[in-house]
Amino acid sequence: MTDPAERLASLIRTIPDFPKPGIQFRDITTLLLDPEGLRLSVETMAARIKGPVDLVAGIEARGFVFAPALALRLGAGVLLIRKDGKLPGATIAEDYALEYGTDRIAMHADACAPGARVLLVDDLIATGGTARAAVRLIRKAGAVVEQAAFVIDLPDLGGAAALAQDGIDVQALVAFPGH
């Protein structure tokens, strides 16, 4: 198996009917257990990034796994995007819609300087609600975010397309049909 996407897809476990019936949960923990798969995912993501990056923004929680590894390869710092109320200093926040209700993500108000070039990273892009909120939040801080990298895209749910409409170049290592 020489194609990186095939190799990585083979390391991602699918758990049917989790967290509810009809959902095909794409579990990256099996990818993370494989040192070669983890290395391949980080190296492939890093190779697709265009231009210099000042910060790699990881979305809580699984984005925290990939953000530091990518930041080291790209010579960048790490910006944490967390659920509201989890950061100790002054924060700025952004609300986003869920299937039923809303949620809120935050980052430290002084985490990135205006004009900083930020790469957004997470393990999976589905509907794009959290990722789009993260883009709005980073832009609210005055930073420039034009790229996002994901291990998995679920294109049927439209998140990558929505991010593209927001002016984001979206890279994903593998795509799975359905949700």
Side-chain angles (χ1 to χ4, degrees):
M1 205 180 295
T2 58
D3 178 37
E6 286 181 30
R7 170 75 176 126
L8 294 171
S10 75
L11 294 171
I12 297 167
R13 173 174 49 189
T14 299
I15 300 175
D17 299 322
F18 183 84
K20 61 184 184 179
I23 301 295
Q24 298 292 317
F25 186 83
R26 307 303 176 166
D27 179 19
I28 65 158
T29 62
T30 47
L31 167 67
L32 298 176
L33 288 168
D34 186 287
E36 177 59 23
L38 179 57
R39 182 198 61 74
L40 181 61
S41 62
V42 171
E43 287 182 2
T44 305
M45 273 196 263
R48 294 180 178 181
I49 302 310
K50 299 170 189 80
V53 171
D54 299 311
L55 296 169
V56 178
I59 299 175
E60 185 174 358
R62 290 175 301 272
F64 290 1
V65 173
F66 296 97
L70 276 169
L72 287 172
R73 295 210 29 106
L74 299 171
V78 175
L79 169 63
L80 300 180
I81 306 290
R82 301 222 45 202
K83 294 177 181 164
D84 195 32
K86 300 291 185 178
L87 293 168
T91 61
I92 59 174
E94 185 72 26
D95 293 324
Y96 62 100
L98 298 170
E99 187 175 358
Y100 300 103
T102 61
D103 209 343
R104 188 172 178 91
I105 55 172
M107 63 183 238
H108 279 125
D110 61 355
C112 64
R117 298 160 300 194
V118 180
L119 166 67
L120 183 66
V121 175
D122 205 355
D123 68 318
L124 182 136
I125 179 79
T127 64
T130 308
R132 293 181 81 197
V135 167
R136 291 191 304 273
L137 181 61
I138 294 164
R139 288 177 174 166
K140 184 188 292 186
V144 177
V145 57
E146 298 174 337
Q147 300 179 81
F150 302 92
V151 177
I152 301 168
D153 179 17
L154 302 178
D156 294 346
L157 296 179
L163 272 179
Q165 289 178 343
D166 292 341
I168 304 298
D169 176 23
V170 179
Q171 298 289 327
L173 302 181
V174 297
F176 290 103
H179 48 69

